[in-house]
Amino acid sequence: MSELGARASGQGRIFQTTGDQYVQEHHHYNVGAVPLFGGEAGPTAGGSRPAAPDSVRIPLVGRPPRPLRDRAELCEVLSMSVAGQGGEIHVVHGMGGCGKTALAYWLFTEAVREHSRIGFWVNASERMSLRAGMLAVAGDRGASSGELAAAAAGQRAAADLTWHYLGQSAEPWLLVLDNADDPAILEDGAWLRAGAQGTVLVTTRHATYPLWHAPGTHRHALSVLPLDDAAQVLCDLAPEAGDLRSARKVAARLDGLPLALTLAGSHLSRQLLETWSMDEYARKLDEESTTIVDRGASGYGGTQSRHLVGRTWQLSLDALAGQGLPEATTVLRLLSLLAADPVPLSLLAPLARAEIAVAGLEPELSPERLEAALLGLLDHSLAELVETDGVRCVKAHGVLLDSVASGISHGQRRVLGEVAMKLFEEALPERGAQTPLARRSLALLAPHGSRLLETAPGKRSAALGVRLVRQVYETADYGVAMVLSRAVADRVGAQLGEDHPVALDARDVLGRALFRMGRYEESEAVHRQVLARRETLLGPDHPDTLRSCAGLHRPLDLLDRDEEAEHWLRRAIEGMRRVLGEDSSETLYTWTSMPEVLSQLGKERECDAELALLIPACERALSADHPTLVMAHHMQAYALWQFRRFAEAEPVARRVLEDRMRILGPDNRFTFAARGLLAEIVYGLGHRGEAIELMSQVVEDHERVLGPEHPFVSSYSAALARYRTGTGAPSP
């Protein structure tokens, strides 16, 4: 499906989207005895399934953390913050696995239960989840679906919208931004602000980012646990495995890192065939610490936390193998090639159904053993089950995944990468799918597609990455598409070369996303670069070259360079007629832009000739509700209005408004645009009262959706003032 066009009515500009924005929301429950691949979740082992609201009011953690140890002073500071008036930002920083998320979970629970605050939990590990989560917060605080769609499409600043509604909240709140390990995605503070009604808590591995030094921001370093507290954690988790003296030996060997302690304690508490004491576990750690580097690929030797975790997960995997589950190692290695974000179980389901051939894996992974292997990982706390926007997912800690990935041999990495890419290909929705399920799937899959470009580089993962960003673009989340496409284009260009067709495809998406975000000069530059390279490599009549011609005309049009825009658009249409056919939906869609360009150039005779061919061609080839046919009629009414042929334009404009209302609903921006165009036309006919009524609704709708400061509001308000005073004539 090709890019939908941008078109103007009145004195404003409007941008078409492919549908409304759906925001990502989170809730969770424990796995218990529920089959992982057995359909809808039922009761958990611990009782009935808890309520699962579609909101960001539930922390994105699988198991509630154990009682905190050695955090009393910091807990007191944070508790006082949520008990007070608000307005503070707290940044908790420390190495991976030191317990930052556990502390955030404690504060979240404290704020909600003890201080009657509304709690919001947003995964800030990457840009798409951050934007989706923050827009979900805005929706929770009262933003309408139209406002959310406008923010996603770049017509309204998404961060401003969220913080406007947080500022208007009648109830105090706590906002947790978890795993903000790349602070750059906070956009220099656009997403991180102080709110008078609330407290913000950020967890991050980054200790020195300048944003953490802003006024009103408090930094708290979180380190490993002191020896006695670390030993007590082990006794909390595995009280039967030994006394505090024995626990101190294990804690000392793990340097008090909470994640490593959790893995060790979970292992000791879940032994079946072997019953190691803590003293025996300590001896095993001594043996493992001398051999861990030799397990798998060379080059192991990451951070301190990764090494400490590596000394524990291998013991747990060895124990699972001893229990008859060697496949758990393969599953964890497969997960390590993906991101640390939640992995939908549906992504792994083809393995359980034997729909994807798997060969060459060591240990082997048979379909009937996948669920048992996953349950083994869950049982040993090597992974946890979470639910994200109604989708059941498995999630492992990033430090654990990094440690596991570093120990995979080159041969196994290649085989696992092929399996991961097959699964990703199966999981991506069909092109053009605009259902809520498809949108949720894309939001969940995006970080894993980006990660595969790093862990399984090559043409196949590059093509998957470009397919992903194109589909994100088609959901009208242009801000995310712009950033994601730039990152993918840079990575693919570095791997395959800037002139590789896949790299050019990524740049093409970037050019389109820049256009949608109103960055017309940048969009023009990218489109020219892609067009020149495609023309050289593919030839002047290749469909991709012609698509670049059509893409280039759009920023030129909005930069008021209409003659250049006409040149490139005409070349695209003529080429598509030859190559794709005159009745191709893509040819017809591209053609709908020509009446607008010609009318803006004042070429009335040529515009009439184009419309005389375009409208019958669309009616012949497309259904009555096809968006391209509706757009053709919209452009017809627009052109007639430009030429001041109001009597001819009126019935066409009324039909367009009816179609927009029926197909898109009353709260869609294209419906607003159609109503604004009709208002100008009926005012031109002298129907001043109806024009005032129509334009009043347009102004009200735009103020509500785009905000009172948006230039569209000023433009339409000026038209409304003109109608009310009866001054001036309607003019394009």
Side-chain angles (χ1 to χ4, degrees):
M1 179 178 182
S2 60
E3 177 195 18
L4 293 179
R7 205 55 281 133
S9 66
Q11 297 181 18
R13 297 286 185 181
I14 56 94
F15 299 84
Q16 183 162 357
T17 71
T18 55
D20 292 330
Q21 169 71 8
Y22 290 82
V23 293
Q24 183 182 23
E25 303 169 340
H26 310 300
H27 54 89
H28 79 283
Y29 53 86
N30 293 330
V31 56
V34 181
L36 295 179
F37 301 105
E40 294 301 317
T44 65
S48 61
R49 173 181 169 178
D54 285 337
S55 73
V56 283
R57 295 203 190 185
I58 303 295
L60 187 60
V61 294
R63 294 184 179 91
R66 295 273 180 167
L68 297 176
R69 298 287 178 184
D70 187 48
R71 309 300 191 201
E73 184 176 342
L74 179 53
C75 286
E76 183 178 356
V77 171
L78 295 175
S79 182
M80 290 177 60
S81 178
V82 296
Q85 292 296 318
E88 295 181 335
I89 298 173
H90 293 268
V91 177
V92 176
H93 59 86
M95 72 170 67
C98 70
K100 300 183 295 295
T101 296
L103 179 68
Y105 180 91
W106 172 85
L107 183 64
F108 188 99
T109 304
E110 177 85 1
V112 172
R113 293 181 181 175
E114 303 300 327
H115 302 292
S116 300
R117 285 184 177 265
I118 295 174
F120 299 115
W121 189 284
V122 174
N123 174 17
S125 64
E126 58 91 38
R127 196 174 302 268
M128 192 167 187
S129 65
L130 172 68
R131 283 175 60 89
M134 292 296 278
L135 286 174
V137 171
D140 184 283
R141 294 294 81 202
S144 69
S145 60
E147 289 174 302
L148 296 172
Q155 287 195 302
R156 185 169 190 172
D160 289 348
L161 177 70
T162 299
W163 282 101
H164 167 77
Y165 277 99
L166 281 172
Q168 297 294 315
S169 176
E171 302 160 290
W173 45 263
L174 167 70
L175 171 64
V176 174
L177 300 178
D178 192 35
N179 290 324
D181 297 329
D182 179 11
I185 70 172
L186 297 173
E187 298 177 3
D188 295 324
W191 287 112
L192 179 61
R193 310 180 191 180
Q197 285 291 90
T199 298
V200 181
L201 177 68
V202 181
T203 70
T204 179
R205 298 185 198 180
H206 204 301
T208 59
Y209 195 68
L211 196 57
W212 308 156
H213 297 272
T217 301
H218 309 276
R219 295 186 301 134
H220 311 281
L222 204 64
S223 186
V224 298
L225 294 173
L227 184 58
D228 287 342
D229 291 290
Q232 189 60 58
V233 168
L234 289 169
C235 291
D236 292 339
L237 292 167
E240 305 299 323
D243 57 19
L244 194 59
R245 179 192 61 80
S246 298
R248 285 170 61 91
K249 295 180 182 178
V250 178
R253 283 160 176 78
L254 297 178
D255 285 354
L257 184 71
L259 175 59
L261 295 169
T262 299
L263 294 176
S266 297
H267 173 90
L268 289 166
S269 67
R270 289 169 171 80
Q271 299 175 90
L272 294 176
L273 301 180
E274 295 182 279
T275 54
W276 295 349
S277 67
M278 288 194 188
D279 288 331
E280 290 171 312
Y281 193 87
R283 285 195 295 272
K284 288 287 186 180
L285 284 175
D286 283 340
E287 297 169 8
E288 186 66 27
S289 66
T290 64
T291 60
I292 187 70
V293 177
D294 297 325
R295 290 180 178 269
S298 61
Y300 182 90
T303 63
Q304 175 191 0
S305 58
R306 193 172 78 180
H307 182 64
L308 292 171
V309 170
R311 294 164 67 179
T312 55
W313 62 255
Q314 188 63 62
L315 292 178
S316 295
L317 290 177
D318 288 346
L320 285 169
Q323 297 168 21
L325 287 173
E327 300 88 351
T329 297
T330 300
V331 174
L332 190 58
R333 286 173 175 170
L334 179 62
L335 293 176
S336 77
L337 298 190
L338 303 175
D341 295 75
V343 177
L345 287 175
S346 58
L347 180 72
L348 303 176
L351 290 175
R353 298 192 296 262
E355 295 174 355
I356 291 179
V358 177
L361 291 176
E362 298 176 5
E364 294 183 0
L365 180 61
S366 60
E368 60 272 13
R369 300 290 289 167
L370 174 61
E371 182 156 326
L374 272 171
L375 288 171
L377 295 176
L378 296 172
D379 195 43
H380 281 256
S381 295
L382 293 169
E384 57 184 353
L385 195 69
V386 299
E387 188 169 312
T388 302
D389 197 16
V391 179
R392 301 177 75 196
C393 302
V394 63
K395 184 177 183 291
H397 197 286
V399 173
L400 171 63
L401 294 177
D402 286 345
S403 177
V404 173
S406 69
I408 303 175
S409 68
H410 177 75
Q412 282 294 289
R413 180 180 295 275
R414 179 181 54 79
V415 177
L416 287 164
E418 287 297 315
V419 173
M421 285 185 284
K422 288 178 183 178
L423 292 171
F424 196 82
E425 286 174 337
E426 291 292 319
L428 276 175
E430 292 293 326
R431 281 288 304 275
Q434 294 297 326
T435 64
L437 177 60
R439 293 167 182 269
R440 287 197 298 270
S441 296
L442 284 174
L444 287 170
L445 292 173
H448 305 299
S450 297
R451 172 73 170 167
L452 280 174
L453 284 171
E454 300 176 15
T455 58
K459 294 180 182 179
R460 188 171 183 179
S461 61
L464 282 173
V466 175
R467 178 180 165 189
L468 171 69
V469 297
R470 192 173 293 280
Q471 289 186 243
V472 170
Y473 171 84
E474 289 171 355
T475 67
D477 200 344
Y478 302 129
V480 169
M482 180 181 68
V483 175
L484 192 58
S485 62
R486 192 190 301 276
V488 170
D490 290 344
R491 190 166 293 137
V492 172
Q495 290 179 8
L496 305 180
E498 288 293 342
D499 287 342
H500 193 281
V502 177
L504 294 177
D505 286 346
R507 297 284 177 203
D508 178 78
V509 179
L510 174 59
R512 296 173 188 276
L514 287 166
F515 168 76
R516 295 298 189 185
M517 295 297 290
R519 296 164 69 164
Y520 305 130
E521 292 86 356
E522 294 175 73
S523 176
E524 178 197 356
V526 171
H527 277 302
R528 285 193 185 279
Q529 179 189 58
V530 174
L531 173 58
R533 288 176 172 170
R534 280 178 166 173
E535 193 163 25
T536 299
L537 296 168
L538 306 175
D541 276 349
H542 191 280
D544 285 344
T545 303
L546 299 172
R547 290 176 184 120
S548 285
C549 292
L552 177 58
H553 110 271
R554 299 192 182 284
L556 292 173
D557 180 24
L558 293 189
L559 289 169
D560 295 325
R561 290 153 62 184
D562 293 323
E563 291 184 355
E564 288 182 80
E566 181 192 1
H567 166 76
W568 293 111
L569 179 60
R570 195 171 293 283
R571 178 179 162 185
I573 295 170
E574 292 173 355
M576 287 179 178
R577 284 173 177 158
R578 291 192 306 272
V579 176
L580 303 177
E582 292 191 359
D583 290 339
S584 159
S585 59
E586 186 172 359
T587 301
L588 293 172
Y589 164 72
T590 305
W591 195 1
T592 61
S593 295
M594 185 57 77
E596 175 209 9
V597 172
L598 292 175
S599 64
Q600 290 174 172
L601 287 168
K603 297 182 178 182
E604 187 169 359
R605 183 177 300 177
E606 291 182 44
C607 185
D608 286 344
E610 292 286 348
L611 285 168
L613 297 172
L614 170 64
I615 299 299
C618 289
E619 291 175 340
R620 180 177 62 252
L622 306 172
S623 65
D625 285 349
H626 195 285
T628 295
L629 178 57
V630 178
M631 179 61 78
H633 286 299
H634 198 143
M635 292 301 97
Q636 179 186 22
Y638 175 84
L640 292 170
W641 168 70
Q642 285 272 44
F643 295 128
R644 307 178 66 83
R645 290 155 60 178
F646 305 125
E648 295 176 69
E650 181 190 13
V652 181
R654 291 191 186 278
R655 173 180 175 177
V656 170
L657 179 57
E658 291 173 2
D659 288 342
R660 297 296 195 195
M661 286 282 291
R662 184 182 72 258
I663 299 169
L664 301 176
D667 204 27
N668 184 276
R669 294 187 303 284
F670 264 99
T671 305
F672 302 165
R675 184 174 288 111
L677 177 58
L678 180 60
E680 286 281 26
I681 290 169
V682 298
Y683 184 70
L685 290 170
H687 306 321
R688 182 178 165 194
E690 183 182 5
I692 291 174
E693 181 181 352
L694 288 167
M695 192 59 76
S696 295
Q697 186 172 351
V698 171
V699 172
E700 179 183 340
D701 288 340
H702 278 80
E703 283 186 335
R704 173 171 49 84
V705 171
L706 301 180
E709 305 303 321
H710 197 279
F712 287 10
V713 175
S714 300
S715 176
Y716 284 120
S717 296
L720 179 59
R722 175 163 46 87
Y723 297 173
R724 284 173 171 163
T725 60
T727 58
S731 58

